[in-house]
Amino acid sequence: MKLKIEAKKKYWVLLFLTVVIAAFLRFYQLGINPPALTWDEAAWGYNAYSIGINGQDEFGRFLPLDFLESFGDFKPPIYAYLDIIPVKIFGLNEFAARFPSALFGTLTVLLTFFLVRRIFQRSKNKELIALLSAFFLAISPWHILLSRAAFEANIATFFIIAGVWAFLAGIQDRRWYLIISAIFFALSFYTFNTARIVSPLLVLILTLAFRKELLIRKKETISALILGALIVFPIIGFLISPQAGLRFKEVNIFSDINVVKTANQEIANDQNAFWSKLIHNRRVLYSIQFVKHYFDNLNPNFLFIKGDGNPKFSTQDVGQMYIFDIVFFISGILFLFRKKEGNWWIIPLWLLIGIIPAATARETPHALRIETTLPTFQIFVAYGFVSFLYWVKKLDLRFRTYDLRKFSYVLILTSYVLLFMNFLYFYHNYFSHYSHQYSGEWQYGYKESIDYVKSVENNFDYIQVTNALGRPYIYYLFYTKTNPDEFRKTADIQRDAFGFVTVKSFGKYIFPTDYNYSLSKTKKVLYINTPYKLPENIKIQKTFYLLNGQAVLVAYTI
């Protein structure tokens, strides 16, 4: 009995250390690495700032629940609400904008421990599997990078994990946790578009699998159903509106007209034969595209070698997972299907469901769109690693020779060293080199140029700013801390038929598609432009550089 108590204390201590490691990797240098804000991060921060002042978002909607309008995208709003308090405490800056993602990323590591214990409730190794799952998530390149920027997908991942954990708790021994589960799953609808597909599918599968237990808990089940429906109800109208489908229409494979053209051409080549219409039917081709894009997200090069092609989601020389993970990921799948411990089936089904939304997109693989699969990858690795440890232990007990014992110890030591080297390589690359290599991918230069503009703007009637780096107006709102009421009074806002929003100007800031140099004839104008194809006879006031020394913006007058 005393040994069991000591063992539990040891696990709690190790869990605490794991969460501390997770917090360090997510909060250390959070305000400066990544080196700059994306326009979506700036939008989250400014909307939190605006709502925190008078309850209105940047465009004046009062306490919006259905969406936040932003750059032609209609974002689920919860990230902005979670960011209100950090912005109040820390000010409108990079650290505050990213704080919710880093915080919930850390909490996700903690919650993973409790989730895995619920999944393997009757396993004698449940604490070890749970602890390793949390640890592998804590040091995961995938989860670290997505926790260090204001990605709403990171919040959705937390809510989904919390929903599954609370559901299992409600089924196993705390029946009223079913209501908590419903709250978490419903909140995920307000967090990330992918969660609006993944959460209902997970709930459906869990409901079917545990239908007998749910019938026994009728009162709690009905209460959870009603409460979940009430929470989701405010956004139902938006979910069935044309606006909700704008982003999907923009990125999905089913709107790719080239597939239809290819199908028609192939049928024409076969002289419109009946069999050709079956084989080359566009629905068949779209299905093939879907399958291909689905398995792109399981590509070993993506998972273990290079990672996502977008530097925002990967350092480009380490996969979304470590090379160390390959053997244990595969063995974890094999051992899990062989042993079938506890509610093991949740893990592979969760992984398979989580990839479905991303498979409909043209750009694959995509680490952000399949983040809702986490922590299933880490659970597979942890299960494989624990199975490996026990295999080595059995080998040692079965063959009590010095050479075999030595061999088993070498195997364990080698695995630890390989993991440490993998992690150390990633850590050094990310905190020492990443910002300098990829500052251009993070719209670096806006903050520096705006700091300069603020110091001289009283000398000018207007400031014209290029759109070349994308969405400049939100950076000027963010870094000048423009009062939302002032922005709404002075802004020239245009919306096209597709729902895209363009802010042409506000105050003395102008964001033209094409530069209007004629304004300089009668007004004092400062131009902020890229250093390419500049007009002759300009007076350069200041040049702004990426961290690698490349010029990115120039301030000049005519």
Side-chain angles (χ1 to χ4, degrees), residues 330-394:
I330 296 172
S331 62
I333 294 173
L334 296 175
F335 278 114
L336 193 66
F337 275 83
R338 179 185 173 186
K339 294 181 180 180
K340 296 180 172 62
E341 287 191 285
N343 298 305
W344 67 276
W345 49 269
I346 293 175
I347 303 166
L349 287 179
W350 187 342
L351 190 154
L352 295 173
I353 288 170
I355 298 176
I356 291 175
T360 65
R362 298 177 192 177
E363 185 183 0
T364 54
H366 202 291
L368 188 69
R369 291 181 184 138
I370 66 168
E371 195 199 346
T372 50
T373 60
L374 301 183
T376 60
F377 286 94
Q378 288 72 32
I379 297 173
F380 277 125
V381 174
Y383 197 86
F385 193 77
V386 171
S387 299
F388 165 74
L389 291 178
Y390 275 86
W391 174 78
V392 171
K393 184 178 179 180
K394 287 181 181 179

Side-chain angles (χ1 to χ4, degrees), residues 181-191 199 227-229 231-232 235:
S181 175
I183 293 172
F184 281 127
F185 277 124
L187 286 176
S188 73
F189 277 69
Y190 291 84
T191 310
S199 288
L227 183 58
I231 295 174
V232 173
I235 63 168

Side-chain angles (χ1 to χ4, degrees), residues 134-420:
F135 176 71
F136 290 147
L137 186 65
I139 64 171
S140 162
W142 194 343
H143 197 249
I144 290 171
L145 262 67
L146 296 189
S147 297
R148 291 184 60 86
F151 293 128
E152 65 271 34
N154 208 43
I155 311 296
T157 297
F158 171 84
F159 283 140
I160 291 173
I161 292 172
V164 176
W165 163 75
F167 186 95
L168 292 176
I171 290 298
Q172 291 168 355
D173 52 30
R174 300 183 181 182
R175 55 177 60 196
W176 284 105
Y177 272 48
L178 290 172
I179 295 176
I180 298 175
S181 175
I183 293 172
F184 281 127
F185 277 124
L187 286 176
S188 73
F189 277 69
Y190 291 84
T191 310
F192 190 51
N193 288 324
T194 296
R196 294 170 175 175
I197 299 174
V198 175
S199 288
L201 291 176
L202 275 175
V203 170
L204 177 62
I205 287 175
L206 291 171
T207 300
L208 292 175
F210 294 103
R211 57 190 180 278
K212 294 180 180 178
E213 291 82 353
L214 291 173
L215 287 173
I216 294 172
R217 298 160 176 77
K218 287 183 180 178
K219 184 190 299 184
E220 295 81 4
T221 301
I222 294 173
S223 298
L225 181 64
I226 293 173
L227 183 58
L230 288 174
I231 295 174
V232 173
F233 181 76
I235 63 168
I236 294 297
F238 170 72
L239 292 178
I240 60 177
S241 70
Q243 290 87 347
L246 281 175
R247 180 63 175 166
F248 178 74
K249 290 178 181 178
E250 182 183 352
V251 302
N252 82 91
I253 58 175
F254 306 113
S255 60
D256 184 1
I257 194 65
N258 290 323
V259 174
V260 177
K261 290 180 178 178
T262 300
N264 292 338
Q265 184 61 54
E266 295 292 342
I267 293 172
N269 292 344
D270 293 325
Q271 287 79 46
N272 292 318
F274 171 75
W275 56 267
S276 183
K277 292 179 181 179
L278 294 176
I279 296 174
H280 300 300
N281 188 291
R282 66 179 183 275
R283 296 170 185 82
V284 174
L285 295 183
Y286 279 130
S287 298
I288 293 172
Q289 285 286 309
F290 175 83
V291 172
K292 177 186 177 299
H293 284 238
Y294 186 98
F295 284 101
D296 280 347
N297 292 285
L298 295 173
N299 188 313
N301 188 61
F302 164 72
L303 290 177
F304 305 109
I305 310 299
K306 297 290 289 184
D308 195 296
N310 188 335
K312 292 186 181 72
F313 312 139
S314 164
T315 60
Q316 303 299 290
D317 57 357
V318 173
Q320 300 307 126
M321 302 165 69
Y322 296 112
I323 294 177
F324 160 88
D325 294 327
I326 296 176
V327 173
F328 299 113
F329 178 68
I330 296 172
S331 62
I333 294 173
L334 296 175
F335 278 114
L336 193 66
F337 275 83
R338 179 185 173 186
K339 294 181 180 180
K340 296 180 172 62
E341 287 191 285
N343 298 305
W344 67 276
W345 49 269
I346 293 175
I347 303 166
L349 287 179
W350 187 342
L351 190 154
L352 295 173
I353 288 170
I355 298 176
I356 291 175
T360 65
R362 298 177 192 177
E363 185 183 0
T364 54
H366 202 291
L368 188 69
R369 291 181 184 138
I370 66 168
E371 195 199 346
T372 50
T373 60
L374 301 183
T376 60
F377 286 94
Q378 288 72 32
I379 297 173
F380 277 125
V381 174
Y383 197 86
F385 193 77
V386 171
S387 299
F388 165 74
L389 291 178
Y390 275 86
W391 174 78
V392 171
K393 184 178 179 180
K394 287 181 181 179
L395 185 69
D396 189 33
L397 292 173
R398 186 176 178 184
F399 302 101
R400 289 189 173 277
T401 66
Y402 175 76
D403 288 339
L404 283 174
R405 272 204 301 271
K406 182 179 178 181
F407 173 70
S408 65
Y409 295 148
V410 168
L411 281 178
I412 294 174
L413 181 61
T414 301
S415 64
Y416 287 142
V417 170
L418 183 59
L419 173 60
F420 177 74

Side-chain angles (χ1 to χ4, degrees), residues 58-59 71 471-478 487 503 506 511:
E58 65 177 290
F59 294 114
F71 319 129
R471 326 296 188 189
Y473 91 88
I474 195 64
Y475 290 96
Y476 275 78
L477 288 176
F478 186 97
F487 165 67
V503 176
F506 73 88
F511 312 102

